[in-house]
Amino acid sequence: MLGAGLLLTVALTACSGGSGAGTPSDQSGRQLPTTAPSGSAAPVIANPKDATAMSVCSLLSSEAATTLGLNPTGKKESKLTAPKSPDSCEWESPGSGATKVSITAFNGRSIQQYYNNSSEYSDFEKLRIAEHPAVRANKNDPMVGGSCAVFLASKENQVVMAYARLNAEDTGKVDPCGMAKKAFELSVPSWPAAQ
């Protein structure tokens, strides 16, 4: 649970005060621009979904969690270090719980913000998952650290993060980004359509 709280502090959840309040920031705390620069086209989301229209722990079904080798029920995470951050839910592997996947939905954020700030990440790749634009955006090498954040545009101005952390035995042998992507592939089709 501490790891998920730390993740939410380190990941794209920080806000700053003053005139930039509520502006999303990257993992280093630097604010991301809220609009795309002129001349850049926002990615098309043909089948928009609203990830906040359901409980965050319902975003990954029990069947999907089991397919990923995780317990079927996720646990809602409290954000003591960042109380204004959106709720997240974490699923752990049975037994030690060393392998984890957490999902967080961010309203007021565009996938274009990640495209515009790709140079901030040592591991960055544009993806298409379940017919939605997505990116893997990490400050460190996922194969070395055993963790990976993937961000998916569920609808215009809504981004969902799937964060996967592997157990020590799989770190360096398995790509954690594959698990984060698989979590989206298994879950996005069941999310409610955006109104």
Side-chain angles (χ1 to χ4, degrees):
M1 199 162 13
L2 177 60
L6 180 60
L7 160 70
L8 290 175
T9 301
V10 172
L12 302 162
T13 58
C15 294
S16 65
S19 62
T23 303
S25 63
D26 67 11
Q27 292 174 339
S28 67
R30 189 175 139 263
Q31 287 186 349
L32 294 173
T34 55
T35 58
S38 58
S40 66
V44 175
I45 304 169
N47 185 17
K49 303 281 189 165
D50 187 357
T52 59
M54 59 195 300
S55 161
V56 69
C57 286
S58 299
L59 291 174
L60 187 68
S61 70
S62 56
E63 296 81 13
T66 302
T67 299
L68 291 168
L70 305 170
N71 288 320
T73 305
K75 187 188 317 185
K76 196 171 181 180
E77 295 295 307
S78 63
K79 288 154 295 309
L80 301 174
T81 57
K84 292 184 179 180
S85 298
D87 292 333
S88 65
C89 191
E90 183 176 79
W91 292 261
E92 299 181 343
S93 56
S96 68
T99 297
K100 305 175 189 321
V101 169
S102 66
I103 295 180
T104 311
F106 300 92
N107 276 323
R109 187 171 296 179
S110 167
I111 199 76
Q112 187 66 45
Q113 294 168 243
Y114 297 89
Y115 294 172
N116 295 347
N117 292 280
S118 60
S119 64
E120 298 294 318
Y121 305 98
S122 62
D123 174 67
F124 183 88
E125 182 184 355
K126 289 183 181 182
L127 306 167
R128 191 111 187 131
I129 303 172
E131 302 179 14
H132 289 256
V135 296
R136 57 185 269 178
N138 298 280
K139 293 287 188 180
N140 302 305
D141 183 345
M143 289 298 289
V144 173
S147 63
C148 179
V150 175
F151 302 87
L152 177 137
S154 44
K155 66 176 186 170
E156 187 177 349
N157 292 319
Q158 186 181 87
V159 172
V160 182
M161 176 181 70
Y163 178 82
R165 174 170 291 286
L166 301 177
N167 61 43
E169 294 77 28
D170 289 334
T171 298
K173 300 174 192 168
V174 177
D175 182 3
C177 296
M179 184 172 225
K181 288 189 280 189
K182 188 72 172 171
F184 279 138
E185 289 166 359
L186 294 170
S187 62
V188 172
S190 67
W191 296 353
Q195 298 297 319

